[in-house]
Short mmCIF file of all heavy atoms in Angstrom, two decimals:
data_model
loop_
_atom_site.label_atom_id
_atom_site.label_comp_id
_atom_site.label_asym_id
_atom_site.label_seq_id
_atom_site.Cartn_x
_atom_site.Cartn_y
_atom_site.Cartn_z
N MET T 1 123.85 119.83 78.82
CA MET T 1 123.99 118.39 78.57
C MET T 1 124.71 117.73 79.75
O MET T 1 125.69 118.24 80.25
CB MET T 1 124.83 118.18 77.32
CG MET T 1 124.18 117.44 76.15
SD MET T 1 122.46 117.02 76.27
CE MET T 1 122.16 116.62 74.57
N THR T 2 124.18 116.60 80.15
CA THR T 2 124.77 115.83 81.23
C THR T 2 125.35 114.55 80.66
O THR T 2 124.71 113.89 79.85
CB THR T 2 123.70 115.45 82.26
OG1 THR T 2 123.07 116.63 82.73
CG2 THR T 2 124.30 114.70 83.43
N THR T 3 126.56 114.22 81.06
CA THR T 3 127.06 112.90 80.72
C THR T 3 127.31 112.15 82.01
O THR T 3 127.80 112.71 82.99
CB THR T 3 128.37 112.96 79.90
OG1 THR T 3 129.32 113.73 80.62
CG2 THR T 3 128.14 113.56 78.54
N LEU T 4 126.91 110.90 82.02
CA LEU T 4 127.04 110.08 83.21
C LEU T 4 127.63 108.74 82.79
O LEU T 4 127.11 108.08 81.89
CB LEU T 4 125.66 109.86 83.86
CG LEU T 4 125.62 108.95 85.09
CD1 LEU T 4 126.29 109.62 86.28
CD2 LEU T 4 124.17 108.60 85.44
N SER T 5 128.73 108.36 83.42
CA SER T 5 129.32 107.06 83.17
C SER T 5 129.32 106.29 84.47
O SER T 5 129.96 106.71 85.44
CB SER T 5 130.76 107.20 82.66
OG SER T 5 130.76 107.83 81.41
N VAL T 6 128.55 105.21 84.50
CA VAL T 6 128.46 104.42 85.73
C VAL T 6 128.63 102.94 85.41
O VAL T 6 128.58 102.53 84.26
CB VAL T 6 127.10 104.62 86.45
CG1 VAL T 6 126.98 106.02 87.02
CG2 VAL T 6 125.94 104.31 85.53
N THR T 7 128.83 102.18 86.47
CA THR T 7 128.88 100.73 86.36
C THR T 7 127.62 100.19 87.02
O THR T 7 127.25 100.62 88.11
CB THR T 7 130.13 100.18 87.08
OG1 THR T 7 131.27 100.79 86.51
CG2 THR T 7 130.23 98.67 86.92
N VAL T 8 126.94 99.28 86.32
CA VAL T 8 125.74 98.64 86.86
C VAL T 8 126.03 97.14 86.95
O VAL T 8 125.83 96.40 85.99
CB VAL T 8 124.51 98.93 85.99
CG1 VAL T 8 123.25 98.28 86.57
CG2 VAL T 8 124.29 100.44 85.84
N PRO T 9 126.52 96.70 88.12
CA PRO T 9 127.02 95.32 88.25
C PRO T 9 125.96 94.26 87.98
O PRO T 9 126.29 93.17 87.52
CB PRO T 9 127.49 95.24 89.71
CG PRO T 9 127.64 96.65 90.16
CD PRO T 9 126.67 97.46 89.38
N ASP T 10 124.69 94.55 88.28
CA ASP T 10 123.66 93.52 88.08
C ASP T 10 122.99 93.59 86.70
O ASP T 10 121.98 92.95 86.48
CB ASP T 10 122.64 93.51 89.23
CG ASP T 10 122.30 94.89 89.78
OD1 ASP T 10 122.78 95.89 89.20
OD2 ASP T 10 121.56 94.97 90.77
N MET T 11 123.58 94.33 85.77
CA MET T 11 123.11 94.31 84.39
C MET T 11 123.69 93.06 83.73
O MET T 11 124.88 93.00 83.43
CB MET T 11 123.60 95.58 83.66
CG MET T 11 123.17 95.65 82.21
SD MET T 11 123.64 97.24 81.46
CE MET T 11 125.44 97.08 81.34
N ALA T 12 122.84 92.04 83.55
CA ALA T 12 123.36 90.73 83.16
C ALA T 12 123.00 90.27 81.76
O ALA T 12 123.63 89.36 81.23
CB ALA T 12 122.90 89.68 84.18
N CYS T 13 121.98 90.85 81.15
CA CYS T 13 121.56 90.36 79.84
C CYS T 13 120.86 91.46 79.04
O CYS T 13 120.71 92.58 79.52
CB CYS T 13 120.62 89.16 80.01
SG CYS T 13 119.03 89.61 80.75
N GLY T 14 120.41 91.10 77.86
CA GLY T 14 119.77 92.07 76.99
C GLY T 14 118.51 92.67 77.59
O GLY T 14 118.16 93.82 77.32
N ALA T 15 117.80 91.88 78.41
CA ALA T 15 116.58 92.41 79.04
C ALA T 15 116.93 93.51 80.03
O ALA T 15 116.22 94.51 80.13
CB ALA T 15 115.83 91.28 79.74
N CYS T 16 118.02 93.31 80.77
CA CYS T 16 118.48 94.36 81.69
C CYS T 16 118.83 95.62 80.91
O CYS T 16 118.47 96.73 81.32
CB CYS T 16 119.73 93.90 82.45
SG CYS T 16 119.49 92.44 83.47
N VAL T 17 119.52 95.44 79.79
CA VAL T 17 119.91 96.58 78.96
C VAL T 17 118.67 97.37 78.52
O VAL T 17 118.63 98.59 78.64
CB VAL T 17 120.72 96.12 77.73
CG1 VAL T 17 120.90 97.26 76.73
CG2 VAL T 17 122.08 95.58 78.17
N SER T 18 117.64 96.65 78.06
CA SER T 18 116.47 97.39 77.59
C SER T 18 115.68 97.99 78.74
O SER T 18 115.13 99.09 78.62
CB SER T 18 115.59 96.53 76.67
OG SER T 18 115.10 95.43 77.35
N THR T 19 115.65 97.31 79.91
CA THR T 19 114.99 97.89 81.08
C THR T 19 115.66 99.19 81.49
O THR T 19 115.00 100.20 81.74
CB THR T 19 115.01 96.90 82.27
OG1 THR T 19 114.37 95.69 81.88
CG2 THR T 19 114.31 97.48 83.49
N ILE T 20 117.00 99.16 81.54
CA ILE T 20 117.75 100.34 81.96
C ILE T 20 117.59 101.47 80.92
O ILE T 20 117.36 102.62 81.28
CB ILE T 20 119.24 99.97 82.16
CG1 ILE T 20 119.37 99.08 83.40
CG2 ILE T 20 120.10 101.23 82.30
CD1 ILE T 20 120.70 98.38 83.53
N THR T 21 117.68 101.11 79.66
CA THR T 21 117.54 102.11 78.60
C THR T 21 116.16 102.76 78.66
O THR T 21 116.03 103.99 78.59
CB THR T 21 117.75 101.46 77.22
OG1 THR T 21 119.05 100.86 77.19
CG2 THR T 21 117.65 102.49 76.10
N GLN T 22 115.13 101.94 78.84
CA GLN T 22 113.77 102.48 78.92
C GLN T 22 113.57 103.35 80.15
O GLN T 22 112.87 104.37 80.10
CB GLN T 22 112.74 101.34 78.90
CG GLN T 22 112.54 100.77 77.50
CD GLN T 22 111.75 99.47 77.49
OE1 GLN T 22 111.05 99.15 78.45
NE2 GLN T 22 111.86 98.73 76.41
N ALA T 23 114.17 102.94 81.28
CA ALA T 23 114.03 103.72 82.51
C ALA T 23 114.66 105.09 82.34
O ALA T 23 114.10 106.10 82.79
CB ALA T 23 114.69 102.97 83.67
N VAL T 24 115.81 105.13 81.67
CA VAL T 24 116.47 106.41 81.43
C VAL T 24 115.66 107.26 80.46
O VAL T 24 115.45 108.46 80.67
CB VAL T 24 117.91 106.19 80.91
CG1 VAL T 24 118.52 107.49 80.41
CG2 VAL T 24 118.77 105.58 82.01
N GLN T 25 115.17 106.62 79.39
CA GLN T 25 114.43 107.39 78.39
C GLN T 25 113.04 107.79 78.88
O GLN T 25 112.42 108.69 78.32
CB GLN T 25 114.36 106.60 77.07
CG GLN T 25 115.77 106.57 76.44
CD GLN T 25 115.86 105.82 75.13
OE1 GLN T 25 115.02 104.97 74.85
NE2 GLN T 25 116.88 106.11 74.34
N ALA T 26 112.59 107.19 79.99
CA ALA T 26 111.34 107.61 80.60
C ALA T 26 111.50 108.99 81.26
O ALA T 26 110.55 109.77 81.32
CB ALA T 26 110.86 106.59 81.63
N VAL T 27 112.70 109.28 81.76
CA VAL T 27 112.93 110.60 82.36
C VAL T 27 113.48 111.60 81.35
O VAL T 27 113.40 112.80 81.56
CB VAL T 27 113.86 110.53 83.62
CG1 VAL T 27 113.18 109.76 84.73
CG2 VAL T 27 115.22 109.95 83.30
N ASP T 28 114.06 111.09 80.25
CA ASP T 28 114.53 111.97 79.17
C ASP T 28 114.46 111.20 77.85
O ASP T 28 115.37 110.44 77.52
CB ASP T 28 115.96 112.43 79.44
CG ASP T 28 116.46 113.37 78.34
OD1 ASP T 28 115.71 113.63 77.38
OD2 ASP T 28 117.61 113.82 78.44
N PRO T 29 113.38 111.41 77.10
CA PRO T 29 113.19 110.64 75.86
C PRO T 29 114.32 110.85 74.85
O PRO T 29 114.52 110.00 73.98
CB PRO T 29 111.87 111.21 75.30
CG PRO T 29 111.18 111.80 76.48
CD PRO T 29 112.26 112.29 77.40
N SER T 30 115.06 111.93 74.97
CA SER T 30 116.13 112.18 74.01
C SER T 30 117.48 111.66 74.50
O SER T 30 118.51 111.87 73.85
CB SER T 30 116.23 113.68 73.72
OG SER T 30 116.63 114.36 74.89
N ALA T 31 117.48 110.99 75.64
CA ALA T 31 118.74 110.49 76.20
C ALA T 31 119.38 109.46 75.29
O ALA T 31 118.71 108.64 74.67
CB ALA T 31 118.50 109.87 77.57
N GLU T 32 120.72 109.54 75.23
CA GLU T 32 121.48 108.56 74.47
C GLU T 32 122.11 107.62 75.49
O GLU T 32 122.82 108.05 76.39
CB GLU T 32 122.56 109.29 73.69
CG GLU T 32 123.05 108.57 72.45
CD GLU T 32 124.10 109.39 71.73
OE1 GLU T 32 123.73 110.47 71.21
OE2 GLU T 32 125.27 108.99 71.73
N VAL T 33 121.80 106.33 75.37
CA VAL T 33 122.28 105.36 76.35
C VAL T 33 123.16 104.33 75.66
O VAL T 33 122.74 103.67 74.72
CB VAL T 33 121.10 104.63 77.04
CG1 VAL T 33 121.61 103.71 78.14
CG2 VAL T 33 120.09 105.63 77.60
N LYS T 34 124.41 104.23 76.13
CA LYS T 34 125.31 103.21 75.59
C LYS T 34 125.64 102.24 76.70
O LYS T 34 126.05 102.65 77.79
CB LYS T 34 126.61 103.86 75.08
CG LYS T 34 126.44 104.59 73.76
CD LYS T 34 127.78 105.15 73.29
CE LYS T 34 127.57 106.22 72.23
NZ LYS T 34 128.75 107.07 72.09
N THR T 35 125.46 100.96 76.43
CA THR T 35 125.74 99.97 77.45
C THR T 35 126.78 98.98 76.95
O THR T 35 126.87 98.72 75.75
CB THR T 35 124.47 99.20 77.84
OG1 THR T 35 123.90 98.64 76.66
CG2 THR T 35 123.45 100.11 78.51
N ASN T 36 127.54 98.43 77.87
CA ASN T 36 128.50 97.40 77.56
C ASN T 36 128.31 96.27 78.57
O ASN T 36 128.66 96.42 79.74
CB ASN T 36 129.93 97.97 77.63
CG ASN T 36 130.97 96.94 77.21
OD1 ASN T 36 130.88 95.76 77.56
ND2 ASN T 36 131.95 97.39 76.45
N LEU T 37 127.71 95.18 78.11
CA LEU T 37 127.42 94.07 79.02
C LEU T 37 128.69 93.46 79.60
O LEU T 37 128.70 93.02 80.75
CB LEU T 37 126.64 92.99 78.28
CG LEU T 37 125.12 93.05 78.35
CD1 LEU T 37 124.51 91.90 77.54
CD2 LEU T 37 124.63 92.97 79.79
N GLY T 38 129.76 93.43 78.81
CA GLY T 38 131.01 92.83 79.28
C GLY T 38 131.59 93.56 80.47
O GLY T 38 131.99 92.94 81.46
N SER T 39 131.61 94.87 80.40
CA SER T 39 132.22 95.66 81.47
C SER T 39 131.17 96.23 82.43
O SER T 39 131.51 96.91 83.38
CB SER T 39 133.05 96.80 80.89
OG SER T 39 132.23 97.68 80.15
N LYS T 40 129.87 95.95 82.14
CA LYS T 40 128.75 96.46 82.95
C LYS T 40 128.69 97.99 82.96
O LYS T 40 128.18 98.60 83.90
CB LYS T 40 128.82 95.97 84.42
CG LYS T 40 129.09 94.49 84.57
CD LYS T 40 127.92 93.65 84.15
CE LYS T 40 128.17 92.17 84.45
NZ LYS T 40 127.22 91.30 83.76
N ALA T 41 129.24 98.59 81.92
CA ALA T 41 129.28 100.04 81.85
C ALA T 41 128.02 100.60 81.20
O ALA T 41 127.49 100.03 80.25
CB ALA T 41 130.51 100.49 81.07
N VAL T 42 127.55 101.70 81.76
CA VAL T 42 126.43 102.44 81.17
C VAL T 42 126.87 103.89 81.01
O VAL T 42 127.25 104.54 81.99
CB VAL T 42 125.16 102.36 82.05
CG1 VAL T 42 124.01 103.16 81.42
CG2 VAL T 42 124.73 100.91 82.25
N ASP T 43 126.87 104.35 79.78
CA ASP T 43 127.24 105.74 79.49
C ASP T 43 126.02 106.45 78.93
O ASP T 43 125.43 106.01 77.95
CB ASP T 43 128.39 105.79 78.48
CG ASP T 43 129.66 105.16 79.04
OD1 ASP T 43 130.13 105.62 80.10
OD2 ASP T 43 130.16 104.20 78.42
N ILE T 44 125.66 107.54 79.58
CA ILE T 44 124.44 108.25 79.22
C ILE T 44 124.75 109.70 78.89
O ILE T 44 125.51 110.36 79.60
CB ILE T 44 123.42 108.21 80.38
CG1 ILE T 44 123.12 106.76 80.79
CG2 ILE T 44 122.13 108.93 79.99
CD1 ILE T 44 122.39 106.64 82.11
N THR T 45 124.16 110.19 77.81
CA THR T 45 124.17 111.62 77.51
C THR T 45 122.72 112.06 77.53
O THR T 45 121.88 111.51 76.82
CB THR T 45 124.79 111.90 76.13
OG1 THR T 45 126.09 111.32 76.10
CG2 THR T 45 124.91 113.40 75.90
N ALA T 46 122.42 113.04 78.39
CA ALA T 46 121.03 113.43 78.57
C ALA T 46 120.94 114.89 78.96
O ALA T 46 121.96 115.55 79.20
CB ALA T 46 120.37 112.57 79.64
N SER T 47 119.72 115.39 79.05
CA SER T 47 119.54 116.80 79.41
C SER T 47 118.93 116.94 80.80
O SER T 47 118.42 118.00 81.16
CB SER T 47 118.67 117.50 78.36
OG SER T 47 117.46 116.81 78.21
N VAL T 48 118.99 115.87 81.60
CA VAL T 48 118.55 115.95 83.00
C VAL T 48 119.77 115.73 83.89
O VAL T 48 120.84 115.39 83.41
CB VAL T 48 117.45 114.89 83.30
CG1 VAL T 48 116.18 115.21 82.52
CG2 VAL T 48 117.93 113.49 83.01
N THR T 49 119.60 115.94 85.19
CA THR T 49 120.75 115.86 86.10
C THR T 49 121.23 114.42 86.29
O THR T 49 120.48 113.46 86.07
CB THR T 49 120.40 116.43 87.48
OG1 THR T 49 119.37 115.61 88.07
CG2 THR T 49 119.90 117.86 87.39
N THR T 50 122.46 114.28 86.74
CA THR T 50 123.00 112.95 87.02
C THR T 50 122.18 112.27 88.11
O THR T 50 122.00 111.06 88.08
CB THR T 50 124.48 113.03 87.45
OG1 THR T 50 124.60 113.89 88.58
CG2 THR T 50 125.36 113.54 86.33
N GLU T 51 121.67 113.07 89.08
CA GLU T 51 120.85 112.49 90.15
C GLU T 51 119.59 111.85 89.57
O GLU T 51 119.19 110.75 89.97
CB GLU T 51 120.44 113.57 91.16
CG GLU T 51 121.57 114.07 92.05
CD GLU T 51 122.50 115.07 91.36
OE1 GLU T 51 122.14 115.58 90.27
OE2 GLU T 51 123.59 115.32 91.89
N THR T 52 118.95 112.54 88.63
CA THR T 52 117.74 112.02 88.00
C THR T 52 118.04 110.72 87.27
O THR T 52 117.27 109.75 87.35
CB THR T 52 117.16 113.07 87.02
OG1 THR T 52 116.87 114.26 87.75
CG2 THR T 52 115.89 112.56 86.36
N LEU T 53 119.16 110.68 86.58
CA LEU T 53 119.54 109.48 85.81
C LEU T 53 119.83 108.32 86.75
O LEU T 53 119.37 107.20 86.54
CB LEU T 53 120.76 109.79 84.95
CG LEU T 53 120.57 110.85 83.86
CD1 LEU T 53 121.90 111.22 83.23
CD2 LEU T 53 119.58 110.36 82.80
N THR T 54 120.59 108.61 87.81
CA THR T 54 120.94 107.56 88.77
C THR T 54 119.68 107.00 89.43
O THR T 54 119.50 105.79 89.56
CB THR T 54 121.89 108.14 89.85
OG1 THR T 54 123.04 108.68 89.19
CG2 THR T 54 122.33 107.07 90.82
N GLU T 55 118.78 107.91 89.83
CA GLU T 55 117.53 107.50 90.46
C GLU T 55 116.68 106.63 89.53
O GLU T 55 116.07 105.66 89.95
CB GLU T 55 116.70 108.73 90.85
CG GLU T 55 116.98 109.23 92.25
CD GLU T 55 116.19 110.51 92.56
OE1 GLU T 55 115.06 110.66 92.04
OE2 GLU T 55 116.73 111.34 93.28
N ALA T 56 116.64 107.00 88.25
CA ALA T 56 115.85 106.25 87.28
C ALA T 56 116.35 104.81 87.19
O ALA T 56 115.56 103.87 87.14
CB ALA T 56 115.90 106.92 85.92
N ILE T 57 117.66 104.64 87.18
CA ILE T 57 118.24 103.29 87.10
C ILE T 57 117.96 102.53 88.38
O ILE T 57 117.58 101.35 88.36
CB ILE T 57 119.76 103.38 86.82
CG1 ILE T 57 120.02 104.02 85.45
CG2 ILE T 57 120.41 101.99 86.90
CD1 ILE T 57 121.48 104.33 85.17
N GLN T 58 118.10 103.21 89.52
CA GLN T 58 117.85 102.54 90.81
C GLN T 58 116.39 102.14 90.95
O GLN T 58 116.08 101.06 91.46
CB GLN T 58 118.30 103.43 91.96
CG GLN T 58 119.82 103.55 92.03
CD GLN T 58 120.31 104.61 93.00
OE1 GLN T 58 119.60 105.55 93.31
NE2 GLN T 58 121.54 104.47 93.45
N LYS T 59 115.48 103.02 90.50
CA LYS T 59 114.06 102.70 90.60
C LYS T 59 113.69 101.52 89.71
O LYS T 59 112.70 100.83 89.94
CB LYS T 59 113.21 103.93 90.24
CG LYS T 59 113.04 104.88 91.40
CD LYS T 59 112.14 106.07 91.01
CE LYS T 59 112.22 107.19 92.06
NZ LYS T 59 111.77 108.47 91.50
N ALA T 60 114.46 101.29 88.65
CA ALA T 60 114.23 100.15 87.78
C ALA T 60 114.73 98.86 88.43
O ALA T 60 114.52 97.77 87.91
CB ALA T 60 114.91 100.36 86.43
N GLY T 61 115.39 99.00 89.59
CA GLY T 61 115.80 97.82 90.35
C GLY T 61 117.27 97.48 90.26
O GLY T 61 117.68 96.37 90.63
N TYR T 62 118.08 98.41 89.77
CA TYR T 62 119.50 98.13 89.59
C TYR T 62 120.37 98.96 90.53
O TYR T 62 120.00 100.07 90.91
CB TYR T 62 119.91 98.37 88.14
CG TYR T 62 119.24 97.39 87.21
CD1 TYR T 62 118.03 97.69 86.62
CD2 TYR T 62 119.80 96.13 86.99
CE1 TYR T 62 117.39 96.77 85.80
CE2 TYR T 62 119.16 95.22 86.18
CZ TYR T 62 117.96 95.54 85.58
OH TYR T 62 117.32 94.63 84.79
N THR T 63 121.50 98.40 90.86
CA THR T 63 122.48 99.09 91.70
C THR T 63 123.41 99.89 90.80
O THR T 63 123.88 99.40 89.78
CB THR T 63 123.32 98.06 92.49
OG1 THR T 63 122.43 97.19 93.19
CG2 THR T 63 124.24 98.75 93.49
N VAL T 64 123.64 101.13 91.16
CA VAL T 64 124.57 101.97 90.42
C VAL T 64 125.86 102.09 91.23
O VAL T 64 125.83 102.53 92.37
CB VAL T 64 123.98 103.37 90.17
CG1 VAL T 64 124.98 104.28 89.47
CG2 VAL T 64 122.69 103.26 89.36
N ALA T 65 126.95 101.64 90.64
CA ALA T 65 128.23 101.69 91.35
C ALA T 65 129.04 102.91 90.91
O ALA T 65 128.84 103.43 89.83
CB ALA T 65 129.03 100.42 91.09
CU1 CU E 101 118.98 90.72 82.49
#
């Protein structure tokens, strides 16, 4: 199990949240994605590597801090 806690500064609204969630679940359908719009935090529990998760978010067009 991989856990990844990152900040995504350009996650601004509910559409961003669903885009990011879908991008992560595209690489791991069983991934658990928790987002906090206020703090721009994205916490993921998944069975793929942190690199795969980070890349998925970046390919969706977001910066991972
Ligand atoms: Cu948005």
Side-chain angles (χ1 to χ4, degrees):
M1 241 6 166
T2 303
T3 55
L4 177 70
S5 295
V6 291
T7 303
V8 181
D10 37 5
M11 180 174 71
C13 68
C16 299
V17 169
S18 62
T19 302
I20 291 167
T21 302
Q22 283 169 19
V24 169
Q25 290 180 338
V27 295
D28 181 359
S30 65
E32 204 179 293
V33 185
K34 285 182 197 161
T35 55
N36 184 319
L37 267 179
S39 62
K40 313 290 186 194
V42 179
D43 296 303
I44 304 167
T45 305
S47 55
V48 294
T49 64
T50 56
E51 288 78 14
T52 301
L53 296 171
T54 303
E55 269 176 34
I57 296 172
Q58 289 170 336
K59 277 182 193 160
Y62 294 91
T63 307
V64 176

